[in-house]
């Protein structure tokens, strides 16, 4: 609505500007110097002040356009009279069109508001009546979800249209999808085939369902099986230690927070279900609960729908990325023994094995992921810079080369670990 109103104002100002320029041009060409000076003197405007002259002409045209016509400025010769006749006809037509468009905008807003009010009024009929604060919270959440649902419905309608040529569909998909899936492991770092990523994301958006959660409600329980991809569309989601775990009880008793991380727009969880992992927090190597930190909207795409989209011929590169990730995960698991996630306690007695704490595993995994991502992105930037600069001389290599952030063995270990999630 705001865009439509702004468009109407801009169009009206352009039309008034053109007519104001034509009006002053006629006055210059078809009136004497004495008549012009008398006209400007009546308006207390200096003949040398073009800005004030323009404002006088703009004011005259605008009063005619909105059919006010104060009569303080009138035609002084036949040429101006002819111009004013055409101006009156144009102003009546333009004004009618503007009024019709403004009425249409107001009607659509009222219709949408009426639909929302009817939806909200149902809570007023509950017996016994809700408390005032409960009713305020319910209505605030319903307004939030109603607005988000309208935007999503329009986006899906646009993306489902197949009449556009492919290059226009790619452009529309990029705008509508707006990088909401850009952090998902099988869609990340796809600059070379960004068009495929945009179309794939658009198809996922069509297949998706959006779920709305009020603050503090549980989105995914650690005991639930991950069966698809969840992406935070708006609001914030926090990763929590399992509420019924001993570790969470210990943290609460010590006055410490059980929150591990807060996810924002575009952050995802459950994407490793594409690799066969059954935990929603599989990408962090732990079991955790996902709780709404604020009112939030979460987009869900089932594993089956993602596989169906990836099976299409035009998305073959993405299907290969997912398949390679599965194979790497399988090879990595085969190389591990049962003691990989345990540590030995140093004690005088024989070594006793104990389980790593969820919080420790999470933060070490997060640090390693970000270390590897920063290293990989810096390597990509360096490679891109080399391509742009061209080959360097041996002297430049010896002077400008710097030691790597990680040695080869460390790089190999981190790559092996995080090939589970990223390609």
């Amino acid at each position: 609505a705001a865009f439509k109103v702004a468009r109407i104002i801009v169009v009206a100002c352009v039309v008034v500007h053109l007519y104001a320029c034509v009006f002053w041009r006629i006055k210059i060409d078809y009136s004497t110097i004495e008549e012009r000076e008398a006209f400007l003197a009546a308006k207390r405007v200096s003949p040398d002040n073009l800005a004030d002259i323009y404002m006088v002409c703009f004011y005259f045209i605008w009063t005619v356009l909105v059919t006010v016509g104060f009569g303080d400025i009138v035609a002084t010769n036949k040429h101006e009279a002819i111009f004013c006749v055409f101006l009156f006809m144009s102003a009546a037509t333009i004004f009618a069109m503007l009024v019709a468009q403004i009425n249409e905008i107001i009607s659509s807003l009222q219709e949408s508001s009426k639909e929302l009010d009817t939806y909200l009024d149902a809570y007023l009929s509950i017996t016994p009546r809700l408390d005032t604060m409960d009713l305020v919270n319910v209505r605030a959440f319903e307004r939030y979800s109603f607005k988000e649902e309208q935007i999503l419905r329009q986006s899906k309608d646009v993306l489902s249209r197949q009449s556009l040529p492919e290059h226009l569909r790619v452009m529309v998909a990029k705008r509508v999808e707006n990088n909401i899936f850009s952090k998902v492991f099988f869609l990340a770092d796809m600059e070379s085939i960004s068009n495929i990523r945009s179309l794939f994301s658009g198809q996922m958006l069509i297949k998706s369902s959006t779920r709305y959660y009020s603050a503090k409600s549980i989105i995914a329980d650690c005991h639930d099986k991950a069966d698809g991809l969840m992406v935070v569309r708006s609001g914030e989601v926090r990763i929590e230690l399992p509420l019924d775990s001993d570790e969470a009880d210990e943290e609460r008793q010590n006055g410490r927070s059980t929150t591990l991380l807060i996810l924002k727009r575009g952050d995802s969880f459950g994407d490793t279900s594409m690799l066969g992992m059954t935990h929603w927090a599989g990408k962090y190597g732990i079991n955790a609960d996902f709780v709404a930190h604020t009112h939030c909207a979460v987009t869900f795409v089932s594993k089956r729908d993602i596989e169906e989209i990836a099976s299409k011929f035009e998305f073959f590169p993405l299907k290969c990325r997912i398949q390679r990730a599965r194979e790497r995960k399988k090879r990595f698991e085969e190389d591990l023994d049962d003691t990989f996630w345990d540590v030995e306690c140093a004690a005088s007695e024989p070594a006793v094995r104990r389980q790593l704490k969820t919080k420790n595993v999470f933060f070490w995994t997060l640090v390693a992921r970000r270390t590897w991502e920063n290293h990989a992105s810096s390597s990509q930037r360096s490679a891109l810079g080399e391509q742009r600069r061209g080959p360097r001389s041996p002297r430049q290599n010896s002077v400008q080369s710097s030691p790597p952030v990680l040695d080869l063995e460390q790089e190999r270990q981190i790559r092996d670990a995080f090939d589970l999630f990223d390609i």
Side-chain angles (χ1 to χ4, degrees):
F3 174 76
K4 291 181 179 179
V5 171
R7 184 178 61 185
I8 291 173
I9 293 174
V10 170
V11 171
C13 289
V14 170
V15 171
V16 172
H17 165 75
L18 293 175
Y19 273 105
C21 294
V22 173
F23 174 71
W24 184 244
R25 184 75 257 177
I26 291 174
K27 188 168 281 292
I28 291 175
D29 292 342
Y30 298 101
S31 63
T32 64
I33 297 178
E34 291 76 13
E35 290 174 338
R36 287 200 301 272
E37 290 178 350
F39 171 78
L40 296 176
K43 299 301 175 185
R44 299 178 182 178
V45 175
S46 170
D48 299 326
N49 194 332
L50 293 179
D52 287 350
I53 294 174
Y54 174 77
M55 287 306 302
V56 169
C57 297
F58 191 90
Y59 157 79
F60 167 61
I61 302 298
W62 190 262
T63 57
V64 174
L65 179 66
V66 297
T67 68
V68 175
F70 292 114
D72 54 339
I73 299 177
V74 296
T76 57
N77 55 58
K78 65 177 182 180
H79 298 91
E80 292 180 12
I82 294 173
F83 167 79
C84 288
V85 169
F86 285 103
L87 175 62
F88 298 154
M89 296 172 59
S90 302
T93 305
I94 295 172
F95 183 71
M97 293 173 60
L98 294 179
V99 170
Q101 291 189 26
I102 292 173
N103 284 336
E104 182 180 350
I105 293 172
I106 294 175
S107 299
S108 64
L109 290 176
Q110 289 179 339
E111 182 179 351
S112 177
S113 178
K114 184 177 179 180
E115 182 181 355
L116 177 59
D117 289 339
T118 303
Y119 190 74
L120 294 176
D121 286 345
Y123 292 102
L124 297 175
S125 61
I126 296 176
T127 305
R129 294 191 63 178
L130 294 172
D131 294 337
T132 302
M133 286 307 301
D134 292 338
L135 185 60
V136 168
N137 292 332
V138 167
R139 291 171 71 91
F141 176 74
E142 290 291 2
R143 283 194 184 94
Y144 167 79
S145 60
F146 183 84
K147 180 180 177 182
E148 290 289 330
E149 190 64 33
Q150 277 192 323
I151 296 173
L152 182 64
R153 194 184 307 125
Q154 292 172 353
S155 300
K156 286 187 176 183
D157 178 61
V158 170
L159 289 172
S160 61
R161 298 173 185 174
Q162 301 296 323
S163 57
L164 292 176
E166 184 174 353
H167 69 283
L168 294 179
R169 286 175 55 210
V170 170
M171 180 189 67
V172 171
K174 284 181 179 179
R175 294 292 184 180
V176 174
E177 182 265 337
N178 197 19
N179 291 327
I180 193 171
F181 294 111
S182 61
K183 297 181 183 179
V184 178
F185 82 89
F186 53 85
L187 294 176
D189 302 325
M190 293 185 62
E191 286 76 11
S192 59
I193 48 175
S194 60
N195 290 350
I196 296 179
R197 187 195 69 79
S198 297
L199 289 175
F200 190 89
S201 299
Q203 291 296 311
M204 284 207 301
L205 199 59
I206 294 174
K207 293 279 188 180
S208 69
S209 60
T210 299
R211 304 171 180 180
Y212 303 95
Y213 299 91
S214 59
K216 300 181 181 180
S217 59
I218 296 179
I219 298 173
D221 188 89
C222 65
H223 302 295
D224 296 338
K225 182 179 179 181
D227 58 349
L229 166 69
M230 284 195 178
V231 181
V232 181
R233 185 176 183 86
S234 63
E236 295 180 346
V237 175
R238 63 177 185 262
I239 305 177
E240 294 269 357
L241 291 172
L243 299 178
D244 56 354
S245 66
D246 295 336
E247 188 174 346
D249 293 338
E250 181 183 346
E251 293 292 323
R252 283 191 288 266
Q253 289 173 3
N254 293 329
R256 293 192 293 264
S257 173
T258 58
T259 300
L260 300 175
L261 184 68
I262 293 181
L263 306 179
K264 298 184 178 181
R265 185 185 186 281
D267 291 328
S268 62
F269 53 97
D271 38 0
T272 50
S273 63
M274 298 301 299
L275 308 181
M277 295 185 178
T278 57
H279 302 312
W280 286 107
K283 69 193 298 182
Y284 300 108
I286 60 170
N287 243 347
D289 293 333
F290 290 84
V291 181
H293 188 59
T294 61
H295 290 338
C296 62
V298 178
T299 296
F300 173 77
V301 190
S302 69
K303 178 181 176 181
R304 183 181 62 183
D305 286 336
I306 295 175
E307 290 176 340
E308 180 183 341
I309 297 171
S311 64
K312 296 181 180 180
F313 176 77
E314 59 266 34
F315 301 129
F316 182 73
L318 286 170
K319 182 179 180 181
C320 292
R321 285 165 69 95
I322 297 173
Q323 186 60 35
R324 286 199 300 268
R326 288 174 177 168
E327 293 173 356
R328 288 174 177 175
K329 172 182 175 291
K330 183 178 179 181
R331 289 199 304 268
F332 188 78
E333 289 178 336
E334 290 173 352
D335 293 339
L336 299 179
D337 57 25
D338 295 335
T339 64
F340 182 77
W341 299 108
D342 295 336
V343 295
E344 294 186 358
C345 295
S348 56
E349 299 292 333
V352 180
R353 300 193 184 278
R354 63 181 175 86
Q355 191 73 17
L356 283 172
K357 285 189 175 182
T358 300
K359 209 167 188 178
N360 294 339
V361 173
F362 172 80
F363 281 113
W364 279 113
T365 304
L366 191 62
V367 168
R369 285 181 66 87
R370 291 182 175 174
T371 300
W372 172 248
E373 288 168 359
N374 292 337
H375 175 62
S377 61
S378 63
S379 299
Q380 290 176 357
R381 287 195 298 268
S382 299
L384 184 60
E386 290 293 337
Q387 292 177 359
R388 290 177 177 175
R389 289 192 298 266
R392 296 188 300 178
S393 65
R395 177 180 176 81
Q396 288 177 318
N397 285 328
S398 62
V399 172
Q400 298 183 10
S401 61
S402 58
V405 178
L406 304 172
D407 62 38
L408 295 178
E409 180 60 21
Q410 291 173 325
E411 182 175 330
R412 185 193 65 79
Q413 291 174 355
I414 294 179
R415 181 185 291 276
D416 288 344
F418 291 99
D419 274 345
L420 298 182
F421 317 112
D422 301 297
I423 297 177

